[in-house]
Structure formats: structure tokens, C-alpha cells
Amino acid sequence: MTAEQHLAGPPSVTDGAALAGRRITKTFGPVTALDSVTFSAKYGRVLALLGDNGAGKTTLIKILCGVLQPDSGELLMDGAVIRFRTPAEARRSGIATVFQDLAVCDLLSITRNIVLGNEPRVRFGPLALYNAAEADRIAREALSRLGARMDRDLSSYARTLSGGERQALAIARAMYYGSKCLILDEPTASLAARQANGVLTHVRAAADAGQAVILITHNYAQALSVADDIVILAHGSVAGAFRAGEITAEDVMTLVAR
């Protein structure tokens, strides 16, 4: 089915979605960044959110992770209407966002990056000391859940990791600490083809582990290779909604150019 044959319009918001948006609208003065955008990110599926620069992807990400609030419309988690007033509220609700520039600390070890902010402690009387053995166990389990292999010891500095390994670390950390919906912002940007393919494998693995995954990218062919559902944004509106196999990268380019 081509873009021309498909009836462009928003997908329905169905029960069972981890995270859904219904008629999300956001303006900045006279500029309408999002105009009645509807989407549904379901458990165990990858939703590719595609669009050119200025399509509204960045604004939508900021709304989903609590940086911005919509002017109108609703966000729903597990079918219940929810409003994130801060990024902390979004994280506590189970929204984990891995941004393009990552939040990996180069001068911390692989383990310390994974447990950062959630360091396990062991008590010795009044003291609560960092539990290195438990931290290593958590790091191994987090990477194992994703099927990610590191060719370095867990005590190695994160700065020694390749771009693809850094993405795997960030995704594993987000998944381990109870996320329901994993939002990935341009995870393959600036990566070589082999590293990008590795990251896409991790994206698919995250969904197969039960996560709802929202993948934002300019690389339409890569997105379609792992996506179950596709929503295309153009000029702040939904230009089309598809299932895997219903659209090609060429069709996407036609829709985003409208």
C-alpha cells in the first residue's frame, strides 16, 4: 500500500496502549507546532515517529517527557488521562527518554553509569556505603535483558565505548529502572552502518522484552526496518498512520514533503 493509496489521518487511541496522545495541540505565539496530533504506543511494539525538520517531533518529545505541556488534547497512560508537569513526574510514571546527545558520563565506569542515581547501598551501622558487587550485578542484568554485549570490563570508563555501545548502555539503563515507554531520539545519528544496525537490534529487543518504544529518526529506511507502527508528521499534523509493510521509505519522503 502506498502513501497515495492510504487514507492519511491519525491512528485511533486504543485500550492497552502504554502511552497515547489524543488531539495534542501546542502553539508558540502565532506558530502552531502541533495541531491535533494523535498516536498510540503499545507494549511490545515499536512506534516510529517520522518527519522532516520542523514537523513537530521535538515539541512532541518535550511534551511526552514533561518539559512542555500541551495547550489542548490529552495524554493517556494505560488508558488513564495523565498530565506531566515536570520531567521528574514523567520519569516516575514510567517514561524514559534517551536523547540524541545521551546522558552518559565519560569519566564513570559502565556500571556506575547504569546505576547512576540509583546506587545500591549496604548498611554498616549508621553508614550506608556503595555496594559495588550489587551494582555490578545490576549492570550485568540490565545489559543481559537487552541482549547487549560489552567487549570491555564493567569497570571500564564509558569514554572507551563506541557510539553504538553508548546507546546500548543508555537503553539498558532506561529499561532496567521500570520504564513503560522508552523514547529514543535519533539513536543512530552519526553512527556507522554497523553500529547503527547494532542499535536497531537493541531497539527491537527492547520492544520484544515488553517495552513500548517510540523511535524518532530522520532515517526512514532504518525506522521501517524495526517499526511495527508508523506515524508521519508534517507541519505539525499527522500526515499518515501505517502498520509495518504498508509503506516504503519513498512513500514517507512523499508525505513529509507535502
Side-chain angles (χ1 to χ4, degrees):
M1 181 180 294
T2 68
E4 297 300 327
Q5 292 169 324
H6 193 279
L7 178 60
S12 60
V13 177
T14 60
D15 292 337
L19 178 64
R22 186 159 54 197
R23 298 186 296 275
I24 299 295
T25 297
K26 182 68 178 179
T27 60
F28 299 96
V31 177
T32 299
L34 296 172
D35 185 7
S36 196
V37 170
T38 295
F39 69 92
S40 181
K42 301 175 184 177
Y43 289 110
R45 297 177 70 85
V46 177
L47 169 64
L49 186 64
L50 307 179
D52 208 348
N53 290 331
K57 301 189 305 300
T58 299
T59 300
L60 184 56
I61 294 171
K62 289 181 177 180
I63 288 173
L64 299 184
C65 65
V67 175
L68 296 174
Q69 288 73 48
D71 297 330
S72 62
E74 296 176 325
L75 288 179
L76 301 93
M77 287 199 74
D78 296 322
V81 175
I82 191 167
R83 187 176 184 89
F84 304 132
R85 290 170 295 184
T86 66
E89 285 188 359
R91 287 193 298 271
R92 287 194 295 269
S93 296
I95 306 299
T97 306
V98 178
F99 290 101
Q100 182 176 347
D101 55 1
L102 300 177
V104 174
C105 298
D106 285 345
L107 297 181
L108 292 181
S109 69
I110 295 170
T111 291
R112 291 303 292 255
N113 266 280
I114 287 180
V115 302
L116 187 62
N118 298 281
E119 291 85 352
R121 303 284 178 178
V122 60
R123 297 202 67 86
F124 289 97
L127 301 178
L129 304 179
Y130 175 69
N131 189 334
E134 176 63 9
D136 282 343
R137 186 198 66 78
I138 289 172
R140 285 192 295 269
E141 182 177 341
L143 293 167
S144 177
R145 286 184 185 181
L146 188 62
R149 296 180 58 186
M150 297 288 178
D151 294 330
R152 294 164 180 80
D153 187 88
L154 293 177
S155 63
S156 300
Y157 287 131
R159 67 183 179 188
T160 67
L161 299 178
S162 68
E165 288 173 329
R166 291 163 67 89
Q167 282 287 354
L169 187 155
I171 294 171
R173 177 178 60 194
M175 285 177 56
Y176 186 84
Y177 289 103
S179 63
K180 294 182 178 181
C181 183
L182 181 62
I183 302 172
L184 303 175
D185 179 25
E186 299 286 355
T188 62
S190 303
L191 296 183
R194 183 176 179 180
Q195 292 183 349
N197 288 337
V199 171
L200 294 174
T201 298
H202 298 321
V203 171
R204 186 68 255 170
D208 291 344
Q211 295 276 301
V213 180
I214 299 178
L215 173 64
I216 298 96
T217 180
H218 284 89
N219 192 315
Y220 307 140
Q222 287 182 355
L224 296 181
S225 73
V226 295
D228 300 292
D229 306 296
I230 302 101
V231 169
I232 300 169
L233 292 179
H235 308 294
S237 299
V238 174
F242 304 86
R243 293 290 184 90
E246 291 182 342
I247 190 169
T248 67
E250 290 75 17
D251 296 328
V252 176
M253 292 177 66
T254 299
L255 283 171
V256 302
R258 285 183 172 178

